């Protein structure tokens, strides 16, 4: 089992304190399952989207991009299966009014250390959460639990099961036996087009970006003269009325997807599936994700979506355990065939080698931009003991982002706010804004230099440039500090832009 880099509570607090992520509509008490990206969060997420677009569209001759509308013809969602199948089973507690996803509840009877038993229900089923819930249930019952026995009993024993229609399990929140039967609930948000709120005017906010790609397949083939194999990539918002949003941004009601539909000839699909799984794993590790916290997990047959021949999830070891970051699915020819049937249009591909019209197979790497941002934020977090003078140490919090991911690339920090230093520091700042123009460069001259270094470490800025008295009085050079090693080197102002471009990996 890998080690989580940091608890979710710590990252939620850092994200708010440092301007990464805020609760949506906080001044009104918050809007559940929706999040606002602050000044640093928007840079972090944009950097990830840019890195994804660069790797998957700009640097691949076999890919093109697309930006389809969020509102689509409602028949789209009948064809895709979302109207019929995009449902979760929902359970309410009649006593405390809490709502749960039935497939996230585990209930059972577990032995306690004192030789008795404790009846429990726990929301969401990662092993760590089940154990945590059990400890709480046992404590309520005035006992402790035998971890080893409980692990077996809770997760694999005959009494452990998902809450089903016939159970009389206690509510995980209040402990009352007052859970309703599960009811199926469609996750698509509905709205109306035009002034009259009638059934004929009802449309959906798209629950995935994928269908915007499928319905444009023929448009792209024709307008771009594309030959198989080729892919269409899209980044955009998706909406799901999740019953239990949670784990910070991990499960939200409004989120962004980065999706690829890669069209290939039937028979070549398995090989492309393998290639895409490897490519997508490498994308995360090349951008600095710790490989020990990343894994590829093939779906069990009973987990597979109705459209998929095979799917593997790229999972990250989040603080709540292994959880999905991205799915890489072989969707076969399911979607194009469905749209052919429902629209009556020809969405086939003419293969001039065989002179046949075929329906391509599709490999779909489908990632979440918000889950990626959360994983990169968690993975970058480090606490280090550093010297604090007089033989003492202090804890330095540092986000060790890959330079491409870091929201702020460079900070210009004059040694102090001094009229001798300010003009040169401002000139250095202006030259960096011009020379590194596609990224954020900050200028900060408030508080002590030590505190400013700590602040930049805590937001993951790879390089700090310090202007001091030597700069203006003698050498026209600045100190360049490396975030991770904390080493400092002297660089002539005239060489600063090329030196930083090289260190950031932009040139050479
Ligand atoms: N087109 C396939 C599809 O949408 P999915 O597994 O439902 O598949 C793909 O979603 C990715 O979208 C997930 O791996 C995850 O990163 C992201 N995602 C899905 N639901 C989400 C939610 N409620 N909140 C945040 N991200 C979500």
């Amino acid at each position: 089992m890998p080690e989580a880099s940091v608890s979710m509570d710590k990252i939620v607090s850092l994200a708010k304190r440092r301007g990464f992520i805020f609760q949506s509509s906080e001044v009104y008490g918050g809007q559940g399952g929706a999040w606002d990206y602050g000044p640093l969060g928007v840079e972090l997420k944009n950097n990830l989207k840019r890195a994804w677009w660069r790797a998957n569209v700009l640097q691949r001759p076999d890919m093109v991009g697309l930006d389809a509308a969020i509102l689509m013809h409602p028949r789209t969602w009948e064809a895709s299966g979302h109207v019929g199948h995009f449902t979760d089973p929902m359970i309410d507690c009649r006593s405390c009014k809490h709502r749960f996803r039935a497939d996230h509840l585990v209930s059972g009877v577990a032995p306690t250390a004192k030789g008795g038993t404790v009846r429990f229900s726990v929301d969401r089923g990662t092993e760590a959460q089940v154990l945590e819930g059990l400890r709480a249930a046992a404590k309520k019952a005035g006992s402790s639990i035998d971890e080893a026995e409980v692990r077996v009993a809770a997760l694999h024993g005959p009494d452990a099961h998902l809450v089903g229609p016939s159970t009389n399990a206690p509510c995980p929140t209040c402990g009352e036996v007052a859970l309703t039967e599960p009811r199926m609930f469609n996750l698509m948000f509905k709205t109306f087009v035009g002034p009259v709120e009638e059934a004929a005017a009802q449309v959906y906010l798209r629950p995935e970006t994928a269908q915007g790609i499928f319905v444009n397949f023929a448009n792209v083939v024709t307008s771009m003269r594309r030959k198989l194999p080729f892919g269409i990539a899209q980044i955009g918002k998706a909406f799901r009325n999740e019953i239990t949003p949670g784990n910070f941004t991990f499960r939200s009601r409004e989120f962004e997807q980065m999706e690829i539909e890669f069209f290939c000839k039937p028979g070549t699909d398995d090989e492309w599936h393998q290639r895409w799984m490897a490519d997508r794993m490498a994308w995360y590790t090349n951008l600095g994700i710790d490989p020990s916290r990343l894994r590829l997990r093939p779906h069990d047959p009973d987990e597979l979506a109705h459209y998929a021949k095979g799917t593997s999830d790229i999972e990250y070891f989040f603080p709540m355990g292994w959880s999905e970051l991205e799915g890489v699915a072989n969707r076969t020819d399911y979607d194009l065939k469905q749209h052919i049937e429902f629209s009556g249009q020809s969405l086939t591909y003419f293969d001039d080698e065989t002179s046949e019209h075929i329906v391509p197979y599709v490999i779909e790497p489908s990632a979440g931009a918000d889950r990626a941002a959360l994983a990169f934020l968690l993975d970058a977090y480090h606490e280090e003991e550093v010297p604090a003078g007089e033989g003492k140490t202090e804890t330095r919090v540092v986000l060790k982002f890959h330079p491409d991911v870091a929201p702020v690339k460079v900070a210009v920090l004059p040694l102090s706010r001094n009229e001798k230093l300010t003009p040169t520091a401002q000139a250095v700042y202006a030259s960096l804004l011009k020379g590194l123009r596609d990224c954020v460069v900050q200028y900060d001259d408030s508080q002590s230099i030590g505190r400013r270094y700590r602040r930049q470490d805590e937001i993951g800025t790879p390089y700090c440039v310090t202007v001091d008295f030597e700069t203006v009085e003698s050498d026209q050079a600045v100190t360049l500090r490396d975030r991770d090693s904390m080493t400092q080197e002297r660089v002539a102002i005239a060489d600063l832009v090329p030196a930083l471009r090289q260190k950031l990996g932009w040139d050479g």
Side-chain angles (χ1 to χ4, degrees):
M1 206 57 128
E3 225 182 285
S5 56
V6 56
S7 71
M8 196 68 101
D9 286 350
K10 260 193 193 175
I11 223 68
V12 171
S13 144
L14 185 149
K16 181 169 184 198
R17 193 173 68 251
R18 291 300 186 197
F20 282 91
I21 302 172
F22 309 124
Q23 170 70 65
S24 159
S25 320
E26 197 181 358
V27 294
Y28 290 106
Q31 177 61 43
W35 299 93
D36 296 342
Y37 286 76
L40 296 189
V42 67
E43 296 299 334
L44 171 65
K45 193 147 75 127
N46 279 346
N47 288 343
L48 289 172
K49 290 190 283 183
R50 208 175 288 134
W52 185 91
W53 195 263
R54 191 189 306 128
N56 293 301
V57 181
L58 305 182
Q59 304 211 322
R60 287 188 67 126
D62 57 358
M63 294 278 293
V64 290
L66 182 80
D67 184 13
I70 287 171
L71 299 179
M72 298 181 69
H73 193 288
R75 290 276 284 168
T76 310
W77 306 111
E78 289 172 33
S80 68
H82 283 82
V83 169
H85 301 292
F86 198 52
T87 50
D88 278 338
M90 176 174 82
I91 280 181
D92 289 304
C93 174
R94 289 192 195 90
S95 176
C96 71
K97 310 294 178 211
H98 255 87
R99 179 160 285 172
F100 309 95
R101 258 177 72 169
D103 55 337
H104 281 180
L105 294 190
V106 178
S107 96
V109 180
T112 67
K114 289 183 183 163
T117 56
V118 58
R119 203 176 164 76
F120 71 95
S121 294
V122 186
D123 189 10
R124 278 192 215 103
T126 71
E127 191 164 340
Q129 284 164 328
V130 169
L131 283 171
E132 201 180 301
L134 267 167
R135 263 187 225 106
K139 203 169 158 201
K140 243 189 215 170
S143 182
S144 63
I145 54 167
D146 179 316
E147 303 258 323
E149 267 189 277
V150 160
R151 204 174 284 261
V152 177
L155 298 173
H156 312 294
D159 276 329
H161 51 84
L162 299 183
V163 169
S166 61
T167 62
N168 56 353
C171 164
T173 306
C174 70
E176 294 295 314
V177 180
L179 296 180
T180 62
E181 305 273 295
R183 283 172 293 147
M184 293 314 272
F185 169 76
N186 193 295
L187 299 186
M188 282 196 292
F189 277 103
K190 300 178 187 75
T191 187
F192 296 93
V193 167
V196 187
E197 295 194 2
E198 59 187 10
Q202 185 184 287
V203 293
Y204 302 98
L205 301 189
R206 66 179 176 199
E208 63 172 16
T209 59
Q211 299 303 324
I213 298 180
F214 292 124
V215 299
N216 278 296
F217 171 71
N219 284 337
V220 173
V221 170
T222 313
S223 60
M224 305 303 290
R225 294 176 296 120
R226 281 283 148 177
K227 297 272 174 240
L228 292 182
F230 79 95
I232 305 177
Q234 174 166 221
I235 298 178
K237 288 264 182 173
F239 302 84
R240 296 182 189 178
N241 200 356
E242 298 282 359
I243 296 169
T244 49
N247 283 319
F248 198 18
T249 57
F250 180 86
R251 181 166 283 104
S252 310
R253 294 191 169 115
E254 173 179 345
F255 55 96
E256 262 181 300
Q257 289 188 314
M258 307 188 287
E259 293 202 298
I260 294 164
E261 306 304 330
F262 193 82
F263 301 93
C264 61
K265 287 188 184 170
T268 65
D269 51 310
D270 289 334
E271 191 193 331
W272 278 111
H273 196 192
Q274 294 298 327
R275 282 166 75 165
W276 273 109
M277 288 189 282
D279 266 29
R280 293 303 306 142
M281 287 289 280
W283 184 79
Y284 291 101
T285 52
N286 288 343
L287 282 175
I289 290 284
D290 181 344
S292 76
R293 295 201 193 99
L294 204 64
R295 75 176 186 188
L296 196 61
R297 188 185 63 80
H299 277 203
D300 292 333
D302 62 353
E303 231 184 317
L304 273 183
H306 59 280
Y307 51 73
K309 173 176 166 187
T311 299
S312 284
D313 283 347
I314 298 178
E315 295 186 332
Y316 179 75
F317 193 73
F318 285 91
M320 64 280 189
W322 288 108
S323 310
E324 178 185 343
L325 196 50
E326 167 165 355
V328 189
N330 182 343
R331 295 183 76 125
T332 69
D333 52 6
Y334 175 83
D335 301 89
L336 286 177
K337 277 194 168 155
Q338 287 292 102
H339 289 301
I340 290 169
E341 187 190 327
F342 277 71
S343 69
Q345 301 288 316
S346 163
L347 300 179
T348 55
Y349 171 86
F350 182 68
D351 184 354
D352 40 22
E353 274 169 35
T354 59
S355 296
E356 281 177 8
H357 287 273
I358 59 166
V359 182
Y361 265 44
V362 175
I363 306 302
E364 179 195 64
S366 172
D370 307 83
R371 279 194 196 170
L374 180 57
F376 277 91
L377 200 52
L378 289 160
D379 209 68
Y381 187 94
H382 288 78
E383 285 181 8
E384 295 175 351
E385 286 306 303
V386 292
E390 297 169 5
K392 291 186 185 147
T393 61
E394 64 180 9
T395 307
R396 169 175 98 118
V397 172
V398 52
L399 294 184
K400 294 189 175 177
F401 286 127
H402 184 286
D404 287 357
V405 176
V408 178
K409 306 285 190 241
V410 184
V412 177
L413 313 174
L415 193 61
S416 59
R417 191 178 290 167
N418 180 292
E419 59 187 23
K420 268 194 176 170
L421 301 181
T422 303
T424 306
Q426 283 287 353
V428 167
Y429 175 54
S431 76
L432 295 187
L433 287 181
K434 201 164 162 221
L436 307 175
R437 61 178 191 176
D438 287 326
C439 71
V440 177
V441 178
Q442 278 192 350
Y443 183 92
D444 185 4
D445 63 0
S446 61
Q447 299 184 311
S448 77
I449 187 74
R451 290 184 78 150
R452 280 179 281 153
Y453 280 148
R454 291 286 172 272
R455 194 183 309 150
Q456 294 299 333
D457 288 345
E458 212 185 1
I459 63 171
T461 307
Y463 298 103
C464 288
V465 170
T466 309
V467 174
D468 54 26
F469 290 99
E470 227 179 311
T471 313
V472 292
E473 285 165 4
S474 62
D475 66 358
Q476 283 295 303
V478 291
T479 299
L480 191 53
R481 174 186 180 269
D482 181 282
R483 175 196 67 201
D484 298 345
S485 64
M486 293 190 287
T487 51
Q488 306 194 353
E489 61 181 302
R490 208 73 190 157
V491 177
I493 292 176
D495 299 333
L496 189 59
V497 167
L500 280 167
R501 291 184 67 93
Q502 205 200 3
K503 281 178 186 292
L504 291 167
W506 295 4
D507 297 334

